Amino acid sequence: TGADLWVKALGPVKYRGGGDDGTKDNRGGDGPRSTPTVAGGKVYVTSAKLVLSCFDATSGDLTWQKDLMKDFGGENIAWENAASPLVEDGLVLVAGGGAGQSLIAFDAKSGTVVWKAFDETMTHATPTPATIHGKRQVIFFVKSGLLAVEPKTGKELWRYAFPFRVSTAASPVVAGDLVYCSAGYGVGAGACKVTRNGDTWSAAEVYRFQGDKPLANHWSTPVLHNGHLYGMFQFKEYGVGPVKCVEVATGKVKWEKPGFGPGQVILVGDKVLALGDAGQLVLIDTKPDAYTELARVDILDGKCWGSPVVSNGRVYARSTQEAVCLD
């Protein structure tokens, strides 16, 4: 119905390049950029001001709360936090603390610190969980590059150095033992191959493309299907930027279709659902040989930089001005 069940304030957010309108000069509007994470009947959310909160999903009651800047010496970044907390095996993993505690794992039920480590600078990218060579791990995309850790202990497994410029926002994507990552602002994209020899791990670069073309993901993380990435590969191409299909093993662009801008994509079954920045929702078939559009509808006014969500056969999406629920 769209009726409010409960509402909890996370504090006002006015950030650089925002604005109440959110439609002028390709600004994304004010407000949070992170997504709540739901697990075990709880809702975990990191605010733009780096306050991590745990709410009861049914009542909205606050269970526990941690201020990463005040309690852990963290410093915010330009445009403030946009990363979501990751819940993995009873732990909540986040970046944003200070020296010696820049990555932190909290007990999901109590909020107790389980481990904290590293001297890294956070980015806007949400960490990615994966199983590589039989080992469960979490990959943080920090300013120095990719850092994979053992989730239960925080032990470092491997690193892949990757350039940083201004902001990194798209999360790494794992395809077997290959990990793809990308950023805007002239950085471009790359991939590394992860190897394991007993307890010794390493990551070697497979390919690297510098610059905003052919591969750059400004803030939209591509999805993986049958060895191919589908997503918004573009940087500041508002209104006109393409969706592309990219072979993940080589970085080769198989096809591209302009006219989407820097929106978002999700994978629904074996189909890609793309939301363009002007509010167009497009269903795309996952065929690497050619762009195949299955359905299209204009659903929202305002700027659409957030991701659509599919639940129980319905599509939920929002812009800077309104929200919508579709069959």
Side-chain angles (χ1 to χ4, degrees), residues 141 143-146 160-165 168 178-193 204-217 247-252:
F141 201 172
K143 191 173 180 179
S144 64
L146 302 184
Y160 170 50
F162 195 77
F164 174 88
R165 190 175 300 136
T168 294
L178 194 73
V179 183
Y180 168 89
C181 61
S182 181
Y185 300 94
V187 172
C192 64
K193 183 179 179 65
E205 188 166 88
V206 177
Y207 58 82
R208 173 85 173 89
F209 298 97
Q210 185 174 349
D212 296 332
K213 293 182 179 180
L215 304 180
N217 301 105
E247 187 177 56
V248 69
T250 63
K252 179 182 178 181

Side-chain angles (χ1 to χ4, degrees), residues 110-230:
S110 66
T112 303
V113 175
V114 175
W115 60 260
K116 53 183 181 178
F118 301 107
D119 296 323
E120 298 289 344
T121 301
M122 66 177 292
T123 66
H124 294 108
T126 296
T128 298
T131 301
I132 304 176
H133 298 303
K135 179 75 169 179
R136 193 63 175 172
Q137 49 199 274
V138 172
I139 306 169
F140 286 86
F141 201 172
V142 290
K143 191 173 180 179
S144 64
L146 302 184
L147 169 58
V149 303
E150 194 175 68
K152 290 185 178 181
T153 65
K155 176 185 176 183
E156 179 179 325
L157 297 177
W158 56 268
R159 288 178 180 264
Y160 170 50
F162 195 77
F164 174 88
R165 190 175 300 136
V166 184
S167 170
T168 294
S171 296
V173 178
V174 178
D177 59 0
L178 194 73
V179 183
Y180 168 89
C181 61
S182 181
Y185 300 94
V187 172
C192 64
K193 183 179 179 65
V194 179
T195 59
R196 178 184 186 181
N197 184 9
D199 292 331
T200 303
W201 294 77
S202 61
E205 188 166 88
V206 177
Y207 58 82
R208 173 85 173 89
F209 298 97
Q210 185 174 349
D212 296 332
K213 293 182 179 180
L215 304 180
N217 301 105
H218 192 175
W219 60 69
S220 177
T221 303
V223 296
L224 177 71
H225 182 72
N226 287 346
H228 291 82
L229 297 168
Y230 298 85

Side-chain angles (χ1 to χ4, degrees), residues 4-66:
D4 288 344
L5 295 178
W6 53 263
V7 178
K8 294 293 179 179
L10 298 176
V13 177
K14 302 285 288 185
Y15 76 104
R16 192 179 83 191
D20 293 332
D21 187 341
T23 60
K24 297 178 180 178
D25 303 321
N26 289 301
R27 295 179 296 181
D30 289 322
R33 270 82 59 212
S34 64
T35 303
T37 302
V38 181
K42 303 294 183 183
V43 179
Y44 303 90
V45 61
T46 308
S47 74
K49 303 297 184 184
L50 285 174
V51 176
L52 174 64
S53 303
C54 171
F55 298 99
D56 182 90
T58 302
S59 65
D61 292 340
L62 180 66
T63 303
W64 55 264
Q65 191 173 72
K66 305 291 180 179

Side-chain angles (χ1 to χ4, degrees), residues 67-85:
D67 189 322
L68 301 186
M69 289 196 287
K70 180 180 177 182
D71 302 333
F72 298 93
E75 293 185 9
N76 220 330
I77 52 180
W79 297 293
E80 302 181 339
N81 175 67
S84 300

